[in-house]
């Protein structure tokens, strides 16, 4: 069992003719993901090197109608990415996973508003995220597939490489993952912790959860309350940026301590108050969950 | 991206947001020459001389002076220009004042606070206002949250006039002043949206004895991700406000922030980079920087990143922590080797490689003959780096 992506996923890659889109499309095919179409406006009917069996279309609508795509992954450059997300939603795609980093906040405010009001059934993951992987079944995004292992730990994270770090640690400890979801480091995004936690709570294939937060915003605090109220499965967590200085943006657009809010200490306190095991260092993420399961 | 107050006010003026009459000056002479012009245009002898640096709290450090005569204004200008201005936000070293704003003095009735930023919870830009102006708004938020009034902006409709009316009522404004406030908010919210602002703070917003509403201060930040839409903002970059290493990093599209410690860090991914700082601190060390080389970096970019780290004289050890996804370990190895060949290596280098092409990367480093301390994992690497930099503090 898994959430979001699996054997049923029929993927369209938006921006497949670009270098990142092409590289990762090949990696996904290699992993076993069913990549059924690629889309780049103006490149319909062409071929992408190493992906000759994947038809290219000008529009997502064609990818849905002619290739039966039900999930989209977006590698389109930042100035055009918001438009691509909305195109996918309008074309009937149910799940849009946006990898693109650097989309203006104003664009995402509008995307979120349109999705909430016109396409409430559409799930957006990201942007600025590593994607979603159900180990052994389907990989959608940019994560290194080989570090994953099928199993029961649901992983949800605001950080890409930190997700690889925890997955690597879990796999080394023999703990496989049901699905790993990167929700991304932007201030305005689709899926948030609470959405992912609710899916994992309902998923019979997920027996425990690891959550990775970071400085900025109050999603982790709200997630802590949600876990306390709704989740019986064991949950461990880590918060990145414990030593980050206030007022400095730590790489991610969303990772900034501003107005005295969003500090790691507050998030850790909220998680601990909710009974969640918090790893003291990023090197002990896997072992913190393992201890909980022992 | 941050800009100066005078630049912010130029932008606001362009959008029709009422701001005081004022002239920016890049030298003492320019500032002195501006005084009679401002006096004449404003029809008052009172002027305010304001230091233009990016940090807040300028008044507290003596960077803002009210002058009632031309002679007083000249004295204030000579005093402030060139001074090393220390505010709660500049750090103990302060910032040298190289730009001034000479502005008209106003007969102020009341000071308010007005701020705009993105509320992540609702996904909407939100206007916040309080009648407790000029004060530290964070303190008001902590002690009297009920005194801050919020209006979220619907992305479909934009700012609505009824929101101005409600806000005016909440702030205790009526009649002509309430109408002035409505104009102010209509133009200000348009500016925020069109210019891709990420933060806009008017503290204080003032009402005057003659019933006007003006922005007495303006602090504006822009969304870095949207700068491609606003090429005109490039000319507003003030290089003297930027850390030289951060400026160099920006050229290479590297995410770099200078810190106080002595362990240089090179990491891929923002989350891992932040956590690398955390684990160094956990083992008693102090990071010299935050550096995310990003996912799609080339060997050239890695070389540039490595050079930025090695030029920091405080760096006593370097910790390279890579979990390759898109970033390939051999790319990192190549970049490091090239950089060391070009600039040498005077401090211990600890490298932890994991992920895509890890074996190739490790082999390249081993074959290079460089004096590298290999680390088994993140904790091992952090401990070795702390030890190499002279142990825990």
């Amino acid at each position: 069992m898994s959430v979001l992506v699996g054997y049923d996923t029929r993927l369209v890659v938006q921006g497949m003719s670009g270098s990142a889109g092409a590289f990762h499309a090949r990696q996904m095919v290699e992993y076993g993901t069913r990549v059924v179409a690629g889309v780049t406006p103006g490149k319909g009917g062409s071929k992408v090197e190493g992906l000759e069996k994947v038809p290219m279309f000008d529009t997502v609508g064609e990818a849905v109608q002619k290739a039966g795509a039900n999930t989209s992954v977006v590698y389109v450059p930042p100035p055009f990415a918001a438009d691509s997300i909305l195109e996918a939603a309008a074309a009937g795609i149910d799940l849009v996973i946006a990898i693109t980093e650097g989309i203006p906040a104003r664009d995402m405010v509008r995307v979120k508003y349109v999705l909430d009001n016109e396409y409430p059934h559409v799930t957006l993951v990201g942007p600025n995220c590593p994607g979603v992987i159900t180990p052994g079944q389907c990989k959608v995004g940019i994560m290194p597939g080989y570090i994953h292992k099928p199993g029961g730990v649901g992983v949800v994270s605001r950080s890409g490489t930190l997700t690889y770090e925890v997955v690597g640690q879990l796999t080394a400890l023999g703990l496989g993952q049901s699905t790993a979801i990167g929700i991304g480091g932007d201030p305005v995004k689709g899926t948030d912790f609470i959405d992912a936690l609710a899916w994992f709570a309902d998923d019979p294939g997920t027996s425990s959860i690891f959550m990775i937060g970071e400085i900025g915003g109050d999603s982790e605090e709200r997630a802590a309350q949600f876990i306390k109220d709704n989740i019986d499965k064991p949950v461990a967590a880590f918060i990145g940026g414990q030593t980050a200085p206030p007022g400095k943006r730590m790489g991610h657009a969303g990772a900034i301590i501003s107005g005295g809010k969003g500090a790691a200490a507050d998030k850790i306190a909220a998680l601990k108050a909710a009974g969640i095991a918090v790893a003291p260092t990023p090197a002990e993420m896997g072992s913190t969950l393992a201890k909980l399961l022992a | 991206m941050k800009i100066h107050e005078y630049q912010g006010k130029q932008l606001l003026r362009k959008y029709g947001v009422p701001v005081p009459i004022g002239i920016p000056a890049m030298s003492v002479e320019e500032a002195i020459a501006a005084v009679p012009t401002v006096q004449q245009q404003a029809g008052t002898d009172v002027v305010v001389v304001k230091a233009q640096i990016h940090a807040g709290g300028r008044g507290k450090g003596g960077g803002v002076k009210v002058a009632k005569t031309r002679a007083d204004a000249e004295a204030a200008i000579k005093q402030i220009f060139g001074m090393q201005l220390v505010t709660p936000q500049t750090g103990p070293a302060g910032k040298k004042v190289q730009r001034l704003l000479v502005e008209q003095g106003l007969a102020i009735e009341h000071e308010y606070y007005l701020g705009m930023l993105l509320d992540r919870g609702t996904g909407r830009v939100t206007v916040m206002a309080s009648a407790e102006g000029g004060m530290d708004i964070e303190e008001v938020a902590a002690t009297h949250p009920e005194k801050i009034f919020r209006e979220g902006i619907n992305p479909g409709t934009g700012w609505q006039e009824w929101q101005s009316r409600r806000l005016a009522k909440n702030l205790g404004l009526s009649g002509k002043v309430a109408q002035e406030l409505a104009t102010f908010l209509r133009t200000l919210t348009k500016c925020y949206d069109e210019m891709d602002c990420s933060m806009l703070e008017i503290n204080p917003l003032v009402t005057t004895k003659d019933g006007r509403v003006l922005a007495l201060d303006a602090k504006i930040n822009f969304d870095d991700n949207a700068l491609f839409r606003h090429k005109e903002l490039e000319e507003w970059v003030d290089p003297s406000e930027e850390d030289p290493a951060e400026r160099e990093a920006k050229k290479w599209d590297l995410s770099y922030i200078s810190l106080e410690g002595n362990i240089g860090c090179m990491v891929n991914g923002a989350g891992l980079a932040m956590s690398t700082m955390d684990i160094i601190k956990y083992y008693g060390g102090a990071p010299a920087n935050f550096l995310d080389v990003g996912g799609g970096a080339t060997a050239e970019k890695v070389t540039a990143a490595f050079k930025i780290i090695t030029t920091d004289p405080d760096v006593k050890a370097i910790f390279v922590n890579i979990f390759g996804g898109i970033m390939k370990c051999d790319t990192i190895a190549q970049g490091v080797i090239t950089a060391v060949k070009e600039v040498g290596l005077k401090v211990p280098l600890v490298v932890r490689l994991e992920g895509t092409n890890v074996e190739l990367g490790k082999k390249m480093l081993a074959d290079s003959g460089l004096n590298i301390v290999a680390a088994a994992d993140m904790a091992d690497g952090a401990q070795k780096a702390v030890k190499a930099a002279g142990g825990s503090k």
Side-chain angles (χ1 to χ4, degrees), chain B residues 305-319:
Chain B
F306 200 82
K307 282 184 187 167
I308 291 168
I309 295 172
T310 51
T311 42
D312 180 348
D314 293 336
V315 167
K316 298 287 175 270
I318 298 169
F319 181 25

Side-chain angles (χ1 to χ4, degrees), chain B residues 40-73:
Chain B
Q40 197 191 354
Q41 283 181 16
T44 166
D45 284 345
V46 184
V47 297
V48 186
V49 179
K50 305 181 86 175
Q52 299 295 291
I53 60 169
H54 282 182
R58 291 166 297 166
K60 288 174 196 156
V64 180
K65 294 224 184 302
V66 180
K68 295 206 168 101
T69 65
R70 208 159 144 180
D72 282 357

Side-chain angles (χ1 to χ4, degrees), chain A residues 196-268:
Chain A
L197 290 166
W199 298 329
F200 284 139
D202 290 341
D203 175 35
T206 299
S207 49
S208 63
I209 300 167
F210 200 97
M211 169 180 148
I212 297 176
E214 65 186 25
I215 55 166
D218 66 348
S219 291
E220 290 80 1
E221 284 88 336
R222 287 186 283 123
Q225 189 61 45
F226 181 84
I227 292 166
K228 195 178 172 187
D229 296 341
N230 299 287
I231 296 186
D232 298 328
K233 297 174 182 179
V235 182
F238 176 74
I239 303 292
Q242 297 175 29
T243 60
K248 297 277 189 184
R249 182 184 126 164
M250 290 286 145
H252 287 158
I256 182 164
I257 303 169
S258 57
K261 287 208 171 125
D266 299 334
K267 295 174 185 296
I268 292 168

Side-chain angles (χ1 to χ4, degrees), chain A:
Chain A
M1 286 300 288
S2 60
V3 302
L4 292 181
V5 302
Y7 291 125
D8 302 336
T9 298
R10 295 178 62 82
L11 188 70
V12 51
V13 179
Q14 290 182 258
M16 196 167 84
S17 62
S19 63
F23 177 79
H24 292 292
R26 287 191 290 269
Q27 298 272 308
M28 290 188 284
V29 168
E30 207 173 290
Y31 194 80
T33 305
R34 288 216 279 174
V35 178
V36 299
V39 167
T40 299
K43 295 279 170 83
S46 66
K47 294 285 176 214
V48 175
E49 195 189 333
L51 295 160
E52 285 78 10
K53 288 180 187 161
V54 182
M56 281 291 288
F57 299 106
D58 290 321
T59 65
V60 181
E62 292 167 280
V64 172
Q65 286 152 21
K66 296 179 184 165
N70 59 15
T71 300
S72 142
V73 62
V74 176
Y75 293 99
V76 174
F80 321 106
D83 180 77
S84 296
I85 294 168
L86 291 178
E87 183 191 354
I93 295 282
D94 294 326
L95 171 62
V96 184
I97 298 171
I99 308 300
T100 308
E101 176 178 1
I103 303 178
R106 180 174 71 160
D107 296 5
M108 283 312 302
V109 165
R110 283 161 168 73
V111 164
K112 197 171 167 58
Y113 177 77
V114 174
L115 290 182
D116 287 350
N117 288 283
E118 290 184 37
Y119 310 100
H121 60 283
V122 172
T123 298
L124 171 68
V125 179
N128 189 14
C129 78
V132 181
I133 183 168
T134 292
Q137 293 186 31
C138 179
K139 159 183 136 120
V140 180
I142 57 175
M143 65 291 281
Y146 77 95
I147 61 172
H148 299 79
K149 171 188 154 88
V153 185
V155 176
V156 56
S157 169
R158 266 173 76 182
S159 153
T161 39
L162 220 42
T163 316
Y164 313 160
E165 191 71 49
V166 73
V167 165
Q169 290 174 20
L170 290 169
T171 299
L173 291 165
L175 295 169
Q177 305 88 42
S178 54
T179 299
I181 305 172
I183 60 173
D186 275 6
V188 183
K189 51 178 167 274
T191 297
D192 208 337
F193 284 120
I194 290 176
D195 307 297
L197 290 166
W199 298 329
F200 284 139
D202 290 341
D203 175 35
T206 299
S207 49
S208 63
I209 300 167
F210 200 97
M211 169 180 148
I212 297 176
E214 65 186 25
I215 55 166
D218 66 348
S219 291
E220 290 80 1
E221 284 88 336
R222 287 186 283 123
Q225 189 61 45
F226 181 84
I227 292 166
K228 195 178 172 187
D229 296 341
N230 299 287
I231 296 186
D232 298 328
K233 297 174 182 179
V235 182
F238 176 74
I239 303 292
Q242 297 175 29
T243 60
K248 297 277 189 184
R249 182 184 126 164
M250 290 286 145
H252 287 158
I256 182 164
I257 303 169
S258 57
K261 287 208 171 125
D266 299 334
K267 295 174 185 296
I268 292 168
L271 291 166
K272 285 188 174 165
I276 298 156
V278 180
T281 74
E284 294 159 87
M285 294 189 287
S287 58
T288 300
L289 183 64
K291 259 182 234 157
L292 216 53
L293 302 180

Side-chain angles (χ1 to χ4, degrees), chain B residues 276-358:
Chain B
T276 302
M277 290 163 41
D278 295 346
I279 200 164
I280 286 171
K281 275 262 174 86
Y282 182 83
Y283 287 116
N289 65 278
F290 165 95
L291 172 58
D292 170 13
V293 292
T298 57
E300 288 75 36
K301 197 164 151 180
V302 173
T303 302
F306 200 82
K307 282 184 187 167
I308 291 168
I309 295 172
T310 51
T311 42
D312 180 348
D314 293 336
V315 167
K316 298 287 175 270
I318 298 169
F319 181 25
V320 175
N321 184 21
I322 301 295
F323 204 123
I326 330 180
M327 169 55 78
K328 302 180 188 85
C329 290
D330 53 311
T331 305
I332 291 285
Q334 187 55 55
V336 169
I337 293 166
T338 308
V340 171
K341 270 187 192 152
E342 285 179 31
V343 297
L345 184 64
K346 298 172 191 77
V347 297
L349 171 61
V350 181
V351 179
R352 179 271 181 134
L353 288 182
E354 192 62 70
T356 310
N357 295 357
V358 59

